[in-house]
Short mmCIF file of all heavy atoms in Angstrom, two decimals:
data_model
loop_
_atom_site.label_atom_id
_atom_site.label_comp_id
_atom_site.label_asym_id
_atom_site.label_seq_id
_atom_site.Cartn_x
_atom_site.Cartn_y
_atom_site.Cartn_z
N GLY J 34 0.79 -1.22 0.00
CA GLY J 34 0.00 0.00 0.00
C GLY J 34 0.82 1.27 0.00
O GLY J 34 0.29 2.33 -0.31
N ARG J 35 2.08 1.19 0.35
CA ARG J 35 2.96 2.35 0.37
C ARG J 35 4.10 2.25 -0.64
O ARG J 35 4.55 3.27 -1.15
CB ARG J 35 3.56 2.55 1.76
CG ARG J 35 2.54 2.81 2.85
CD ARG J 35 3.22 3.18 4.16
NE ARG J 35 4.08 2.11 4.65
CZ ARG J 35 5.36 2.24 4.96
NH1 ARG J 35 5.95 3.43 4.83
NH2 ARG J 35 6.06 1.21 5.41
N PHE J 36 4.56 1.05 -0.89
CA PHE J 36 5.70 0.83 -1.77
C PHE J 36 5.24 0.19 -3.07
O PHE J 36 4.31 -0.62 -3.08
CB PHE J 36 6.74 -0.08 -1.12
CG PHE J 36 7.42 0.48 0.09
CD1 PHE J 36 7.09 1.72 0.61
CD2 PHE J 36 8.40 -0.26 0.73
CE1 PHE J 36 7.71 2.23 1.74
CE2 PHE J 36 9.04 0.23 1.85
CZ PHE J 36 8.70 1.48 2.36
N THR J 37 5.91 0.54 -4.15
CA THR J 37 5.62 -0.03 -5.45
C THR J 37 6.92 -0.40 -6.14
O THR J 37 7.83 0.42 -6.25
CB THR J 37 4.83 0.93 -6.34
OG1 THR J 37 3.61 1.30 -5.69
CG2 THR J 37 4.50 0.28 -7.67
N ILE J 38 6.99 -1.62 -6.61
CA ILE J 38 8.15 -2.08 -7.38
C ILE J 38 7.78 -2.11 -8.85
O ILE J 38 6.71 -2.59 -9.23
CB ILE J 38 8.61 -3.47 -6.91
CG1 ILE J 38 9.05 -3.41 -5.44
CG2 ILE J 38 9.74 -4.00 -7.79
CD1 ILE J 38 9.37 -4.76 -4.84
N SER J 39 8.68 -1.61 -9.67
CA SER J 39 8.49 -1.63 -11.10
C SER J 39 9.82 -1.88 -11.78
O SER J 39 10.87 -1.89 -11.12
CB SER J 39 7.87 -0.31 -11.60
OG SER J 39 8.71 0.79 -11.30
N ARG J 40 9.79 -2.10 -13.09
CA ARG J 40 11.04 -2.29 -13.80
C ARG J 40 10.97 -1.64 -15.16
O ARG J 40 9.90 -1.48 -15.75
CB ARG J 40 11.41 -3.78 -13.91
CG ARG J 40 10.88 -4.57 -15.11
CD ARG J 40 9.41 -4.77 -15.09
NE ARG J 40 9.00 -5.89 -15.93
CZ ARG J 40 7.78 -6.05 -16.40
NH1 ARG J 40 6.82 -5.16 -16.10
NH2 ARG J 40 7.48 -7.11 -17.15
N ASP J 41 12.13 -1.25 -15.66
CA ASP J 41 12.29 -0.73 -17.00
C ASP J 41 13.19 -1.72 -17.72
O ASP J 41 14.40 -1.75 -17.52
CB ASP J 41 12.92 0.67 -16.97
CG ASP J 41 12.98 1.31 -18.34
OD1 ASP J 41 13.01 0.59 -19.36
OD2 ASP J 41 12.99 2.55 -18.40
N LYS J 42 12.59 -2.55 -18.53
CA LYS J 42 13.33 -3.62 -19.18
C LYS J 42 14.37 -3.09 -20.17
O LYS J 42 15.41 -3.71 -20.37
CB LYS J 42 12.37 -4.58 -19.87
CG LYS J 42 11.40 -5.25 -18.89
CD LYS J 42 10.42 -6.17 -19.57
CE LYS J 42 11.04 -7.50 -19.93
NZ LYS J 42 10.02 -8.47 -20.42
N ALA J 43 14.08 -1.95 -20.78
CA ALA J 43 15.03 -1.36 -21.72
C ALA J 43 16.30 -0.87 -21.02
O ALA J 43 17.37 -0.83 -21.62
CB ALA J 43 14.38 -0.21 -22.49
N LYS J 44 16.17 -0.50 -19.75
CA LYS J 44 17.30 0.02 -18.99
C LYS J 44 17.87 -0.99 -18.00
O LYS J 44 18.80 -0.66 -17.27
CB LYS J 44 16.89 1.29 -18.25
CG LYS J 44 16.50 2.44 -19.16
CD LYS J 44 16.13 3.67 -18.36
CE LYS J 44 15.78 4.83 -19.27
NZ LYS J 44 15.40 6.04 -18.50
N ASN J 45 17.31 -2.19 -17.98
CA ASN J 45 17.74 -3.22 -17.03
C ASN J 45 17.76 -2.68 -15.60
O ASN J 45 18.71 -2.89 -14.85
CB ASN J 45 19.12 -3.77 -17.41
CG ASN J 45 19.08 -4.64 -18.65
OD1 ASN J 45 18.02 -4.96 -19.17
ND2 ASN J 45 20.25 -5.04 -19.11
N THR J 46 16.70 -1.99 -15.25
CA THR J 46 16.64 -1.32 -13.96
C THR J 46 15.32 -1.62 -13.26
O THR J 46 14.26 -1.61 -13.89
CB THR J 46 16.81 0.19 -14.13
OG1 THR J 46 18.07 0.46 -14.75
CG2 THR J 46 16.77 0.90 -12.79
N VAL J 47 15.42 -1.88 -11.98
CA VAL J 47 14.25 -2.08 -11.13
C VAL J 47 14.17 -0.91 -10.16
O VAL J 47 15.19 -0.40 -9.69
CB VAL J 47 14.35 -3.42 -10.38
CG1 VAL J 47 13.31 -3.50 -9.27
CG2 VAL J 47 14.16 -4.57 -11.34
N PHE J 48 12.94 -0.50 -9.86
CA PHE J 48 12.71 0.64 -8.99
C PHE J 48 11.90 0.23 -7.77
O PHE J 48 11.09 -0.68 -7.82
CB PHE J 48 11.97 1.75 -9.73
CG PHE J 48 12.64 2.19 -10.99
CD1 PHE J 48 12.24 1.69 -12.22
CD2 PHE J 48 13.66 3.12 -10.95
CE1 PHE J 48 12.86 2.10 -13.39
CE2 PHE J 48 14.30 3.53 -12.11
CZ PHE J 48 13.89 3.02 -13.32
N LEU J 49 12.13 0.93 -6.70
CA LEU J 49 11.30 0.81 -5.51
C LEU J 49 10.82 2.21 -5.15
O LEU J 49 11.59 3.03 -4.64
CB LEU J 49 12.08 0.20 -4.35
CG LEU J 49 11.33 0.10 -3.01
CD1 LEU J 49 10.12 -0.82 -3.14
CD2 LEU J 49 12.26 -0.37 -1.90
N GLN J 50 9.57 2.48 -5.45
CA GLN J 50 8.96 3.75 -5.10
C GLN J 50 8.38 3.63 -3.70
O GLN J 50 7.54 2.77 -3.44
CB GLN J 50 7.85 4.11 -6.09
CG GLN J 50 7.11 5.40 -5.77
CD GLN J 50 7.98 6.62 -5.94
OE1 GLN J 50 8.67 6.77 -6.93
NE2 GLN J 50 7.96 7.51 -4.95
N MET J 51 8.84 4.48 -2.81
CA MET J 51 8.43 4.44 -1.42
C MET J 51 7.72 5.74 -1.08
O MET J 51 8.30 6.82 -1.17
CB MET J 51 9.62 4.23 -0.50
CG MET J 51 10.41 2.97 -0.82
SD MET J 51 11.74 2.66 0.38
CE MET J 51 12.83 4.02 -0.03
N ASN J 52 6.47 5.63 -0.69
CA ASN J 52 5.66 6.77 -0.30
C ASN J 52 5.25 6.64 1.16
O ASN J 52 5.30 5.57 1.74
CB ASN J 52 4.42 6.87 -1.18
CG ASN J 52 4.74 7.05 -2.64
OD1 ASN J 52 5.70 7.73 -3.00
ND2 ASN J 52 3.92 6.44 -3.50
N SER J 53 4.82 7.75 1.72
CA SER J 53 4.36 7.78 3.11
C SER J 53 5.37 7.13 4.04
O SER J 53 5.03 6.30 4.89
CB SER J 53 3.00 7.10 3.23
OG SER J 53 2.03 7.73 2.41
N LEU J 54 6.60 7.52 3.89
CA LEU J 54 7.67 6.90 4.66
C LEU J 54 7.55 7.19 6.15
O LEU J 54 7.11 8.26 6.56
CB LEU J 54 9.03 7.36 4.15
CG LEU J 54 9.46 6.70 2.83
CD1 LEU J 54 10.57 7.50 2.18
CD2 LEU J 54 9.90 5.26 3.09
N LYS J 55 7.95 6.20 6.92
CA LYS J 55 7.90 6.26 8.37
C LYS J 55 9.30 6.06 8.93
O LYS J 55 10.15 5.45 8.28
CB LYS J 55 6.97 5.17 8.92
CG LYS J 55 5.58 5.17 8.34
CD LYS J 55 4.80 3.95 8.81
CE LYS J 55 3.41 3.91 8.21
NZ LYS J 55 2.66 2.71 8.65
N PRO J 56 9.56 6.54 10.14
CA PRO J 56 10.87 6.32 10.72
C PRO J 56 11.28 4.85 10.77
O PRO J 56 12.47 4.55 10.62
CB PRO J 56 10.73 6.91 12.13
CG PRO J 56 9.71 7.98 11.97
CD PRO J 56 8.73 7.44 10.97
N GLU J 57 10.33 3.96 10.95
CA GLU J 57 10.65 2.55 10.99
C GLU J 57 11.07 1.98 9.64
O GLU J 57 11.50 0.83 9.56
CB GLU J 57 9.48 1.73 11.56
CG GLU J 57 8.14 2.03 10.93
CD GLU J 57 7.31 3.02 11.73
OE1 GLU J 57 7.87 4.05 12.17
OE2 GLU J 57 6.10 2.76 11.93
N ASP J 58 10.94 2.77 8.58
CA ASP J 58 11.45 2.37 7.27
C ASP J 58 12.94 2.63 7.13
O ASP J 58 13.54 2.23 6.13
CB ASP J 58 10.71 3.11 6.15
CG ASP J 58 9.24 2.75 6.08
OD1 ASP J 58 8.91 1.56 6.21
OD2 ASP J 58 8.42 3.67 5.87
N THR J 59 13.53 3.29 8.10
CA THR J 59 14.96 3.56 8.07
C THR J 59 15.74 2.26 8.03
O THR J 59 15.59 1.40 8.90
CB THR J 59 15.38 4.40 9.28
OG1 THR J 59 14.76 5.69 9.20
CG2 THR J 59 16.89 4.57 9.33
N ALA J 60 16.57 2.11 7.02
CA ALA J 60 17.31 0.86 6.84
C ALA J 60 18.27 1.00 5.68
O ALA J 60 18.20 1.95 4.89
CB ALA J 60 16.35 -0.31 6.59
N LEU J 61 19.16 0.04 5.58
CA LEU J 61 19.96 -0.13 4.39
C LEU J 61 19.16 -1.03 3.44
O LEU J 61 18.81 -2.15 3.81
CB LEU J 61 21.30 -0.76 4.73
CG LEU J 61 22.33 -0.85 3.61
CD1 LEU J 61 22.74 0.54 3.13
CD2 LEU J 61 23.56 -1.62 4.07
N TYR J 62 18.87 -0.52 2.27
CA TYR J 62 18.04 -1.24 1.31
C TYR J 62 18.91 -1.92 0.27
O TYR J 62 19.76 -1.28 -0.36
CB TYR J 62 17.06 -0.29 0.64
CG TYR J 62 15.88 0.07 1.51
CD1 TYR J 62 16.04 0.91 2.62
CD2 TYR J 62 14.61 -0.44 1.26
CE1 TYR J 62 14.97 1.21 3.44
CE2 TYR J 62 13.54 -0.13 2.07
CZ TYR J 62 13.72 0.70 3.16
OH TYR J 62 12.64 1.01 3.96
N TYR J 63 18.68 -3.20 0.10
CA TYR J 63 19.44 -4.01 -0.84
C TYR J 63 18.60 -4.47 -2.00
O TYR J 63 17.43 -4.85 -1.83
CB TYR J 63 19.99 -5.26 -0.15
CG TYR J 63 20.99 -5.02 0.95
CD1 TYR J 63 20.59 -4.93 2.27
CD2 TYR J 63 22.34 -4.90 0.65
CE1 TYR J 63 21.51 -4.72 3.28
CE2 TYR J 63 23.27 -4.69 1.65
CZ TYR J 63 22.85 -4.61 2.96
OH TYR J 63 23.77 -4.41 3.96
N CYS J 64 19.18 -4.48 -3.15
CA CYS J 64 18.61 -5.11 -4.32
C CYS J 64 19.16 -6.52 -4.43
O CYS J 64 20.34 -6.75 -4.18
CB CYS J 64 18.95 -4.30 -5.57
SG CYS J 64 18.32 -4.96 -7.12
N ALA J 65 18.32 -7.45 -4.80
CA ALA J 65 18.73 -8.83 -4.96
C ALA J 65 18.11 -9.41 -6.23
O ALA J 65 17.11 -8.90 -6.73
CB ALA J 65 18.32 -9.66 -3.75
#
C-alpha cells in the first residue's frame, strides 16, 4: 500500500517507489 516495485526492461533497472515513509522504514536497502 505504500511501496511499489516496477522495472524498466530497456534500462535493465528495477525501482522501488516508497511513499508515506515512516521512521521505521529507516534501513539499508538491498537489491537482490
Side-chain angles (χ1 to χ4, degrees):
R35 299 188 299 126
F36 294 2
T37 302
I38 298 173
S39 60
R40 89 291 201 201
D41 186 334
K42 299 178 78 172
K44 296 181 179 179
N45 288 353
T46 300
V47 168
F48 305 97
L49 177 63
Q50 178 68 47
M51 303 185 291
N52 299 323
S53 301
L54 284 163
K55 306 173 182 179
E57 50 263 46
D58 295 318
T59 295
L61 187 64
Y62 283 71
Y63 295 94
C64 179

